[in-house]
Amino acid sequence: MHFGMAGVVTNTVVLNQMMKRYGHIKDVKKRHLDITDKLVVIEIDGSTTEELVKTAEYFCEMSDRIIIKVPCSIESSGVFN
């Protein structure tokens, strides 16, 4: 982070790889939050608007430094209504 990075960004492919190594996704995100005081961006995934909202809420409860990256899809259009 001393190179001026603004935060940590992950995507679902990287998260799946990290979960194989470090366990549950909540533990992986906790590790990200622990290594920096910057923002942590999490790309969520779901097949319905309700799933996307539920997933976003799950992560947002962890920290106020969590930023949700919403996929561009028909299902995600309901997140912004």
Side-chain angles (χ1 to χ4, degrees):
M1 293 296 177
H2 64 278
F3 292 112
M5 294 168 33
V8 176
V9 178
T10 60
N11 63 41
T12 54
V13 172
V14 172
L15 283 177
N16 286 332
Q17 292 170 349
M18 298 291 290
M19 286 172 19
K20 289 177 185 173
R21 185 169 182 182
Y22 296 108
H24 193 274
I25 193 165
K26 196 164 190 171
D27 297 329
V28 172
K29 296 313 334 169
K30 174 119 175 54
R31 289 176 70 90
H32 287 141
L33 290 165
D34 289 346
I35 64 169
T36 182
D37 61 351
K38 306 290 185 188
L39 297 174
V40 175
V41 179
I42 301 173
E43 179 180 334
I44 61 171
D45 140 13
S47 56
T48 66
T49 300
E50 292 76 22
E51 285 179 15
L52 290 165
V53 169
K54 185 176 178 178
T55 303
E57 290 172 343
Y58 175 82
F59 286 116
C60 287
E61 289 175 1
M62 292 179 67
S63 171
D64 60 353
R65 292 185 291 123
I66 298 280
I67 302 294
I68 301 298
K69 181 179 172 185
V70 179
C72 184
S73 66
I74 297 295
E75 293 78 20
S76 66
S77 64
V79 172
F80 301 104
N81 291 335

